[in-house]
Amino acid sequence: MAARNKPSLDTVDEIFSLAVQRFRAARLAYGHGTTNARDEAAFLILETLRLPIDRLDPYLDLRPTAAERARLLTLIDARVSLRLPAPYLVGAAYMHGVRFHADRRALIPRSFIGDMLADGVLPIGDAGRIKHVLDLCTGSGCLAVLAALTFPRAHIDAADLSASALALARRNVASHRLSDRIALHRGDLFVPLRGKRYDLILSNPPYVDARAMAKLPPEYRHEPRLALAAGDDGLDLVRRILAETPRHLTRHGALICEIGRGRARLEAAFPRLPFLWLDTEMSEGEVFWIAGKDLA
Ligand SMILES: C[S@@+](CC[C@H](N)C(=O)[O-])C[C@H]1O[C@@H](n2cnc3c(N)ncnc32)[C@H](O)[C@@H]1O
């Protein structure tokens, strides 16, 4: 009897219900583009079927081919058994509808700075004066691409220590046909950028402290450790960025930097710096803005 009541898994709706049920039962961790089982299942299904990723509802009655159904069931299974984040399973992640290739060479794109660029909330005044932008710790290159789309007249430098992350960034830059406006550099923070100055420096550096690293859910352990770990208090990279940034900003330049939950520690370490904390719908006190003149 039980076998007869099993859903046939012919439609997207049935596959979606199965995925949600399995994800909930497995108590997965989210945070790589979605925050719950339903959105995660919808993303996995829509991206695998190459459908627009914003809404599943219009496709619930769709009947995937046998090959598509087999692929979906394999991915649902892998999401649960391997605890791989969905973007690594499907090879893609989205920020504000912009698609990026994603794989284990780099952190999955999700920085709040992306929201700020897309929503135009940065306190930069006349965006037309932004001609030179640096994306420090670029990873997959997602913020460099979003910066190029936000400031169409700017040249972007994007730098990272990881050669494999830069290989993925190169693919993303090429997919968006931005190779003429985004230059990739390999090295330790500002080392490959000696003598260069920028109107805007963006950075989403590693900022996970040692305690949080020890407690990372399995999903996050698939991401490169180099992209996450930042010493005992999570500020190893941010301290160096603050110290070196003044030498790389133009007169009216500014730094925008994501630091996760480290706000109190940062303010305690730099009590005189007038950080401006920028919030989004999804984040509070995780991204600061500081003008170069206040850092010097
Ligand atoms: C949190 S990830 C951010 C990636 C990307 N900006 C994003 O938002 O998805 C941090 C990046 O910093 C890079 N990184 C770590 N240490 C570095 C260093 N000393 N110099 C330059 N890049 C570094 C890592 O390889 C990783 O790609």
Side-chain angles (χ1 to χ4, degrees):
M1 283 302 278
R4 225 185 295 155
N5 290 338
K6 256 179 143 178
S8 56
L9 301 177
D10 285 338
T11 63
V12 161
D13 195 11
E14 287 167 335
I15 296 171
F16 173 67
S17 300
L18 170 84
V20 173
Q21 185 200 330
R22 289 204 58 195
F23 293 175
R24 283 187 179 146
R27 296 176 178 275
L28 300 183
Y30 304 100
H32 293 100
T34 71
T35 56
N36 59 72
R38 290 180 66 84
D39 290 348
E40 185 89 348
F43 169 75
L44 205 62
I45 293 170
L46 290 168
E47 182 60 24
T48 304
L49 299 180
R50 295 284 175 173
L51 295 167
I53 51 127
D54 37 347
R55 282 183 59 215
L56 186 69
D57 292 9
Y59 308 106
L60 287 174
D61 293 333
L62 203 77
R63 290 173 175 264
T65 64
E68 286 171 338
R69 193 177 52 197
R71 172 105 187 110
L72 285 169
L73 297 181
T74 302
L75 290 176
I76 291 164
D77 203 46
R79 179 67 184 87
V80 171
S81 59
L82 304 176
R83 301 285 299 259
L84 269 164
Y88 283 165
L89 284 167
V90 298
Y94 291 78
M95 288 172 88
H96 275 267
V98 180
R99 188 176 189 274
F100 296 100
H101 299 289
D103 64 39
R104 291 173 66 168
R105 288 175 292 180
L107 191 95
I108 294 168
R110 57 178 177 276
S111 169
F112 299 124
I113 296 175
D115 297 333
M116 292 170 188
L117 285 168
D119 294 343
V121 298
L122 299 182
I124 46 177
D126 174 16
R129 75 167 181 84
I130 306 287
K131 299 277 166 48
H132 298 281
V133 177
L134 169 63
D135 174 18
L136 193 63
C137 300
T138 194
S140 63
C142 56
L143 293 180
V145 167
L146 291 176
L149 301 177
T150 305
F151 307 111
R153 292 181 23 218
H155 175 88
I156 322 287
D157 279 334
D160 203 288
L161 188 56
S162 159
S164 42
L166 285 171
L168 179 62
R170 190 160 296 109
R171 184 169 179 213
N172 276 317
V173 168
S175 299
H176 288 282
R177 299 176 194 279
L178 287 166
S179 307
D180 56 337
R181 290 185 44 222
I182 300 179
L184 299 172
H185 305 264
R186 177 166 183 230
D188 183 17
L189 291 185
F190 290 98
V191 170
L193 309 159
R194 207 158 273 150
K196 292 190 156 200
R197 288 190 180 262
Y198 301 93
D199 304 309
L200 184 61
I201 297 178
L202 319 167
S203 190
N204 177 25
Y207 55 67
V208 182
D209 65 50
R211 264 184 75 191
M213 279 304 292
K215 289 198 236 146
L216 278 184
E219 279 79 354
Y220 291 79
R221 295 181 190 274
H222 293 286
E223 296 189 290
R225 192 181 163 82
L226 182 68
L228 298 168
D232 277 354
D233 67 356
L235 296 179
D236 281 9
L237 275 285
V238 177
R239 271 196 201 86
R240 289 179 54 206
I241 292 171
L242 286 172
E244 294 173 41
T245 287
R247 279 197 293 280
H248 293 277
L249 284 177
T250 54
R251 201 151 70 93
H252 298 291
L255 165 71
I256 175 169
C257 183
E258 182 165 329
I259 60 150
R261 308 246 165 90
R263 176 176 176 172
R265 275 182 292 214
L266 187 74
E267 288 181 329
F270 298 94
R272 297 216 184 133
L273 291 185
F275 297 110
L276 172 64
W277 295 92
L278 302 175
D279 297 336
T280 67
E281 234 174 76
M282 303 294 286
S283 77
E284 210 181 306
E286 299 195 34
V287 176
F288 69 79
W289 167 275
I290 190 156
K293 65 176 172 44
D294 293 324
L295 267 177

